[in-house]
Amino acid sequence: MTTSRATSRLALAAAGVTVVLWASAFVSIRSAGAAYSPGALALGRLLAGSLVLGAVLLIRREGLPHRAAWPGIAVSGLLWFGAYMVVLNWGEQEVDAGTAAMVVNIGPILIALLGARFLGEKLPPRLLAGMAVSFAGAVAVGLSMSGEGHASVLGVVLCLLAAVAYAGGVVAQKPALAHGSALQVTTFGCLVGTVACLPFAGQLVDEASRAPLSATLNMVYLGVFPTALAFTTWAYALARTTAGRMGATTYAVPAIVVVMAWMLLGELPGPLTLAGGALCLAGVTVSRSRPRTRPTPEAVETV
């Protein structure tokens, strides 16, 4: 039981690292996205992430994952590391940040539904209730950010596709983690995404020659921290819980983004934004809670 609790705490800490770093990505994307097109930004981010992950993999001498992990790695690499990043970057140029946040946050709901359908995961009432509360909070945050923005049908469709790609990638990655370590699954998933984005190499080279240093540094930051580190800690935590619960955890991202935008960009959140952020956190708390039951030897689920 002591080992199980220690593992649970480590997995929870890993999920926390992921959520904070993914929230920080929104700030960096603002800078990098002004100088780089969607495909070039995705490729640059993935190249930086692949270099870091590859170096760590070599140092740790983990080698190749078992071949049973490759189908999940390939699908998650194409959908999550590849398609998701390109489509989301493109979508955020077509709609305001609030609309993008609202549409993309359909992702955790899709993860829970796909996890139930393809992974046999349960949908406990507390998980569903918590996701409903968090989604309402995400909508509130989105509405508070959409006042003077713009939206197009194309942008909404792109953000919806991003949510579907994100959900599909997570559900595909879960089985792969039964046959490979978090580092292996993340590294090779990132490499698959990088290869898929190579058609944007010409744009990346051209735009990098003209982009300000700050934009390029933000792109590198996106690759090293929100990609290489955060996706690895995500995989570590995902291997120790259900896809649905991990998806629900990401509803903390909008609340953290609000705080970061306040601290780093001087954007003072309004009452609706604060209320939405509070709802997001409350929903995550509910979704991660469990009814009080008598502990059994089988109760080893973590995070």
Side-chain angles (χ1 to χ4, degrees), residues 48-258:
S50 295
L51 288 173
V52 172
L53 288 166
V56 175
L57 191 76
L58 289 174
I59 292 171
R60 291 180 58 85
R61 298 181 180 180
E62 291 200 15
L64 296 172
H66 190 277
R67 60 181 166 182
W70 280 102
I73 290 174
V75 174
S76 65
L78 289 172
L79 289 180
W80 198 7
F81 289 89
Y84 169 78
M85 292 191 183
V86 175
V87 173
L88 180 62
N89 291 342
W90 186 7
E92 288 192 355
Q93 292 183 357
E94 298 292 328
V95 300
D96 56 80
T99 301
M102 285 187 287
V103 178
V104 172
N105 271 300
I106 295 173
I109 299 173
L110 295 177
I111 290 173
L113 296 176
L114 291 175
R117 173 65 178 83
F118 295 104
L119 304 178
E121 296 181 354
K122 295 181 180 179
L123 295 174
R126 292 192 180 210
L127 174 62
L128 296 175
M131 293 181 74
V133 172
S134 288
F135 184 70
V139 170
V141 172
L143 290 173
S144 70
M145 298 166 60
S146 302
E148 298 178 0
H150 69 283
S152 68
V153 174
L154 174 62
V156 172
V157 170
L158 289 170
C159 290
L160 181 58
L161 288 176
V164 173
Y166 160 47
V170 171
V171 173
Q173 188 186 61
K174 174 67 174 175
L177 291 166
H179 306 285
S181 70
L183 179 59
Q184 288 174 324
V185 172
T186 304
T187 300
F188 290 101
C190 191
L191 285 171
V192 169
T194 302
V195 172
C197 291
L198 283 178
F200 302 106
Q203 292 181 13
L204 177 61
V205 172
D206 179 59
E207 292 169 9
S209 66
R210 296 181 280 106
L213 179 61
S214 60
T216 301
L217 290 177
N218 272 288
M219 181 173 65
V220 173
Y221 170 83
L222 287 168
V224 175
F225 293 99
T227 302
L229 178 56
F231 274 76
T232 302
T233 52
W234 164 278
Y236 176 86
L238 179 62
R240 291 157 177 82
T241 188
T242 65
R245 286 187 181 277
M246 278 302 291
T249 303
T250 62
Y251 273 124
V253 170
I256 298 174
V257 170
V258 169

